[in-house]
Amino acid sequence: MRLLIIEDDREAAAYLVKAFRETGHVADSAHDGLDGYALAREGAYDVLIVDRMLPKLDGLSLIRSLREQNVTTPVLILSALGQVDDRVKGLRAGGDDYLPKPYAFSELLARTEALARRQVGSGAAEETRYRVGDLELDRLSHRVTRAGREILLQPREFRLLEYLMRHAGQVVTRTMLLEHVWDYHFDPQTNVIDVHVSRLRGKLDKGFASPIIHTVRGAGYVLRFDEGATG
């Protein structure tokens, strides 16, 4: 699964990101409602985990706004408000599940996995899988193959490839990668992108005659499969 955790408690958010990654999933975080709303609208997430009490835009307003924009990603609401009326308000705002605090991570994990399965069963499976030429990426199983051969990627490499595949055939700039893969909204003045792209290329192109990630000098990168090439 790819998850977005919208939680203003940075320590709690960091714990959840770490816990989900340790169970083999990909997790991003946002710490206020406006940032969470922006990420939820543009990111291809399987489940959103939304704290009800958020700065700038509260959780229920965030969910209502997403539903008004036809964003159908399943939402699990986390809240210290656990009375029946509170849960009803959360579900009526567009939430799909509601988990009161405190909670056990094992239950949170089981509930998010159930929401992801429900989404796939509703006919959204195509949106969780990308294919460019002989390269395939499955976001739910976290599996990447090229010409049927499995390629093992680190979490950051997987996010980088996923973003490139979502924008296949388009030039992706360094700024876009910094913001959407590294969650940086400034240039750290390092070669972190070049290093990761180089490592990813090494894994994707090993044993194949044609590269699939191309550098556009002065602009960025483009993921493109050359039809006539053979590997």
Side-chain angles (χ1 to χ4, degrees):
M1 295 184 295
R2 186 178 179 201
L3 308 165
L4 175 61
I5 299 159
I6 308 175
E7 165 67 73
D8 63 322
D9 184 331
R10 291 176 181 268
E11 186 175 339
Y15 167 77
L16 289 179
V17 167
K18 182 175 183 291
F20 276 114
R21 287 177 178 174
E22 286 176 348
T23 58
H25 302 297
V26 178
D28 298 330
S29 64
H31 305 300
D32 66 62
L34 290 180
D35 283 349
Y37 175 72
L39 285 172
R41 282 198 64 188
E42 72 86 26
Y45 293 100
D46 301 303
V47 178
L48 308 177
I49 298 174
V50 180
D51 183 50
R52 182 165 172 172
M53 307 299 289
L54 293 168
K56 299 185 180 179
L57 181 69
D58 70 88
L60 299 191
S61 296
L62 183 156
I63 296 165
R64 290 191 193 97
S65 297
L66 290 174
R67 297 312 187 218
E68 289 170 1
Q69 295 298 316
N70 296 317
V71 176
T72 60
T73 309
V75 175
L76 187 151
I77 300 170
L78 295 178
S79 178
L81 305 174
Q83 299 300 313
V84 172
D85 286 348
D86 298 316
R87 297 198 297 270
V88 169
K89 287 178 182 177
L91 297 174
R92 284 182 172 167
D96 298 275
D97 200 355
Y98 195 108
L99 184 59
K101 298 179 180 180
Y103 55 84
F105 176 73
S106 57
E107 182 178 4
L108 176 61
L109 176 63
R111 286 173 180 257
T112 54
E113 289 175 339
L115 287 176
R117 287 195 302 270
R118 188 186 309 168
Q119 182 77 343
V120 171
S122 69
E126 292 80 9
E127 298 175 9
T128 68
R129 187 175 292 110
Y130 298 105
R131 181 184 178 109
V132 179
D134 59 0
L135 180 66
E136 293 188 48
L137 180 148
D138 189 312
R139 294 192 297 109
L140 289 183
S141 66
H142 211 266
R143 189 167 184 263
V144 174
T145 60
R146 185 168 183 187
R149 187 182 74 192
E150 185 166 6
I151 299 170
L152 300 179
L153 300 179
Q154 296 297 316
R156 187 73 67 178
E157 295 168 342
F158 186 90
R159 288 183 63 185
L160 174 59
L161 178 59
E162 179 186 349
Y163 191 78
L164 290 170
M165 292 188 77
R166 283 172 52 204
H167 297 84
Q170 305 172 25
V171 175
V172 173
T173 66
R174 284 176 54 86
T175 299
M176 292 167 68
L177 293 175
L178 284 171
E179 290 184 351
H180 299 290
V181 179
W182 274 267
D183 298 323
Y184 290 161
H185 296 279
F186 61 95
D187 190 340
Q189 301 298 317
T190 70
N191 65 342
V192 61
I193 292 177
D194 301 324
V195 169
H196 278 79
V197 169
S198 178
R199 288 177 182 169
L200 183 58
R201 276 177 166 154
K203 292 183 178 183
L204 296 180
D205 295 341
K206 186 176 181 180
F208 294 92
S210 59
I212 201 162
I213 299 176
H214 306 266
T215 300
V216 181
R217 191 172 299 277
Y221 303 95
V222 60
L223 190 143
R224 183 182 68 245
F225 180 75
D226 295 327
E227 196 67 38
T230 58

